[in-house]
Amino acid sequence: MSIFRNRAASAAIVAVAAGALTLTACGGGGGGSSKDNSKTKDDAKAQSKPVQIGDAKASTGPAPEVPGAKPGGVATVYQEADFSHLDPGQIYVSDGKLLSRLIFRGLTQYDEDDQGNLTVVGDLATDAGKVSDGGKTWTYTLKDNLKDANGNPINSADIRHTVERLYASYITDGPTYLQQALSGAGTTYRKAYPGPDKGKHLPKTVLDTPDDKTIVFHFKEAQVDLPQMLTMPGYSVVPEETDTKEKYDNAPVALGPYKIADFKPGKSMKLVKNDQWDAKSDSVRHQYVDGFDIEMNHDDEDQTKTLLADQGSAKNAMMFTGQVATTQLQQVVGNKAAMKRTIQGYAPYVWQLNFNLDRVKDKKLRDAITLALPSASVFKADGGAYGGEVANSLMSPTTPGYDEAFDPFNRKGKPNGDIEAAKKLIKEGGFEGKKLVYAYGNTPVRQQQAVLIATALEKIGLDIQKKEIDSATWYEQVGKVKNGYDLYMTGWGQDWPSASTVFPPLYDGKQIQDGASNYSHINDPKVNSEIERIAKITDTTEATKAWAELNEYISKEVNPAAPIYYTKVFQIFGSNIGGIRYSSDSSYVDVTRVFLKK
């Protein structure tokens, strides 16, 4: 899933990283200590444990009470910029996922414990799904008395509509796993079904709703990960009666514990309690605070300074996807009281520099650029040791199959780039003075990183033309096939603990289209055929090994994107914000349990 971290780029989603991790507030060093207590690759490895599947009992609400929780009050949320989408079908980014957890619901959802272990449970459904036909058929039954914020009952027709509208031409930025699994690989799923606007439904042999409570999915191939897939915000329910199609992005209807009461695009959003939400139907969410006031245009510097000072209304304030700013890292780490209101985690994202293969066609040039990248300096601009570490691979340490020893561009030996080796390739290829357009987001972190990257590439003889883009629409811009850029950074993390949620969306040539996640436009026949072959392997161990081998081929033989750094999360909160913990599901704070202490 794409990541919208520091509003410089849209994960995944919203990414899922399951497993054990110390999620409670971290104890820090005192007296200005510079000791590095950040998360490590050992923590990341622990996050690659398989997700558990919950039964009907685990799916029954209400959610267990959070120790010490009290009702009442309004929490303030600081955001750097606006949400790129509010239509669930269009959401595939991290800040959108946190908002989704508060206002939307789908068939399934994650239940998370204090060790970060994830269990898929039924959300609107009574359980995580009943499977038959060797994994090709999944049946879901809806819980009783479900309603949207307008009081309209939720039934199987709403689920069918939610799935069918994903085929509409205006849905361009959300996940496509479900559509592809139902109707065909790659971008061909739209050819199989023209969408609900044509007045026809998906065939019953694909999606059946035999009564108001029952939904049956029929797939061409076994879909063992469907329960995890359906937890994604992109598959949250859009009630049929209230769907305004293209306009739904402006005013979506809530099913979760909160609803949007006021929205000033680019400025603020006010969430209030949804009085149609029934806690007895929800085993994972709470409704402790009366609402959330989301303020935009607060960059990481501003967020950190305000929350660290902890004065006045800032005591009731929190981050969503904000991070402790690099410039204030030591002030936070060296303050024992402040560290007690921080959380940390090893996120599943890989920041990589994408080569637009339609424009940067010579692999020798791509290899030279990859060798020259100052990875250590780039990640330090995004939170230092608490914000990330140098990436050796296009696979994250949280992804099953990751190999720390695989290091084709010697990141371990030359973490800040190998200028001489890069210069040699530039000279061999005759690339001296070649102009390349480097696009980057208009946030302080991305601006700093752009200077670092451009300077390094100019040292090896390239002419870098920097192009600044509005971060709020970053992925929409670089996600266009004819985007006009040569180089651009994106962050991606697994949608659940499997490389099957990394390599198909990023490197399958059949998925090249506007809004898709194949940002480099790689269309390599071997990669395409391997993705298709591995996707059919049902043995997890065998599939994991095959994905790791494909990762090596992609990096060494094609090099469509240069890995730069892995991400860690380090957030701080106001002293009156209770219930904070790192979420292995969202890779940021767990927003479902927030309360005000007094």
Side-chain angles (χ1 to χ4, degrees), residues 300-311:
D300 282 354
E301 294 279 349
D302 180 29
Q303 291 187 40
T304 306
K305 182 179 180 180
T306 304
L307 291 168
L308 180 60
D310 197 41
Q311 298 296 311

Side-chain angles (χ1 to χ4, degrees), residues 359-485:
R359 296 163 60 103
V360 188
K361 298 182 179 181
D362 196 303
K363 181 177 181 293
K364 187 171 287 188
L365 175 58
R366 301 197 295 271
D367 288 351
I369 292 171
T370 305
L371 284 167
L373 289 175
S375 295
S377 297
V378 172
F379 92 73
K380 286 175 182 175
D382 196 8
Y386 286 81
E389 64 180 314
V390 171
N392 59 290
S393 170
L394 293 170
M395 291 182 79
S396 163
T398 64
T399 306
Y402 168 76
D403 180 4
E404 188 172 1
F406 178 66
D407 189 10
F409 294 98
N410 192 25
R411 288 285 191 256
K412 189 171 184 179
K414 299 277 188 176
N416 249 330
D418 191 336
I419 297 297
E420 293 309 311
K423 278 183 177 179
K424 182 180 178 182
L425 292 182
I426 291 293
K427 186 174 182 180
E428 288 176 3
F431 303 124
E432 294 98 333
K434 184 174 179 62
K435 289 185 178 180
L436 293 172
V437 179
Y438 172 51
Y440 61 96
N442 64 340
T443 66
V445 168
R446 301 305 169 218
Q447 290 164 341
Q448 294 167 32
Q449 292 174 330
V451 171
L452 293 168
I453 290 173
T455 299
L457 298 185
E458 286 164 356
K459 283 182 181 178
I460 65 174
L462 297 174
D463 182 358
I464 303 300
Q465 310 289 310
K466 294 196 308 236
K467 176 71 174 177
E468 191 166 287
I469 299 176
D470 178 14
S471 287
T473 58
W474 172 258
Y475 276 96
E476 288 86 333
Q477 296 299 316
V478 300
K480 294 176 182 176
V481 175
K482 295 189 180 299
N483 57 39
Y485 314 129

Side-chain angles (χ1 to χ4, degrees), residues 243-364:
D243 188 3
T244 52
K245 302 179 181 178
E246 294 94 334
K247 297 179 181 179
Y248 201 72
D249 229 353
N250 302 323
V253 176
L255 277 76
Y258 297 92
K259 63 182 179 180
I260 300 173
D262 183 65
F263 177 41
K264 295 180 175 62
K267 296 181 180 179
S268 64
M269 178 183 290
K270 185 181 183 66
L271 304 184
V272 298
K273 285 185 175 181
N274 172 13
D275 60 7
Q276 298 297 319
W277 174 79
D278 184 357
K280 293 192 294 294
S281 75
D282 198 327
S283 65
V284 296
R285 299 174 185 82
H286 297 279
Q287 198 185 48
Y288 290 130
V289 297
D290 294 330
F292 293 84
D293 285 347
I294 302 174
E295 300 178 3
M296 296 153 193
N297 303 307
H298 294 276
D299 62 25
D300 282 354
E301 294 279 349
D302 180 29
Q303 291 187 40
T304 306
K305 182 179 180 180
T306 304
L307 291 168
L308 180 60
D310 197 41
Q311 298 296 311
S313 61
K315 293 182 179 181
N316 294 342
M318 60 183 290
M319 295 175 162
F320 257 20
T321 55
Q323 293 263 66
V324 171
T326 308
T327 55
Q328 297 170 67
L329 186 64
Q330 289 308 315
Q331 291 97 305
V332 175
V333 173
N335 184 322
K336 284 186 177 180
M339 284 296 284
K340 289 180 180 178
R341 45 192 179 90
T342 64
I343 59 171
Q344 289 187 56
Y346 202 111
Y349 304 108
V350 183
W351 275 107
Q352 55 206 42
L353 184 70
N354 297 277
F355 302 110
N356 184 338
L357 298 189
D358 297 330
R359 296 163 60 103
V360 188
K361 298 182 179 181
D362 196 303
K363 181 177 181 293
K364 187 171 287 188

Side-chain angles (χ1 to χ4, degrees), residues 223-234:
Q223 299 295 324
V224 295
D225 289 341
L226 183 66
Q228 293 98 302
M229 185 190 301
L230 292 176
T231 67
M232 298 178 70

Side-chain angles (χ1 to χ4, degrees), residues 96-171:
K97 175 158 186 167
L98 269 70
L99 180 66
S100 296
R101 289 283 270 166
L102 295 172
I103 65 176
F104 298 134
R105 298 179 70 180
L107 285 175
T108 64
Q109 193 48 268
Y110 285 111
D111 183 23
E112 185 167 355
D113 66 18
D114 285 337
Q115 286 71 48
N117 298 304
L118 298 177
T119 300
V120 184
V121 296
D123 190 359
L124 296 176
T126 55
D127 55 31
K130 292 180 173 59
V131 63
S132 58
D133 191 24
K136 294 181 181 180
T137 299
W138 285 84
T139 301
Y140 288 90
T141 303
L142 293 177
K143 294 175 180 175
D144 295 330
N145 302 318
L146 298 171
K147 297 178 182 179
D148 68 17
N150 294 331
N152 297 316
I154 299 299
N155 56 40
S156 62
D158 295 302
I159 309 301
R160 182 183 63 207
H161 176 74
T162 296
V163 175
E164 291 177 342
R165 74 187 297 273
L166 297 172
Y167 291 76
S169 59
Y170 56 84
I171 301 294

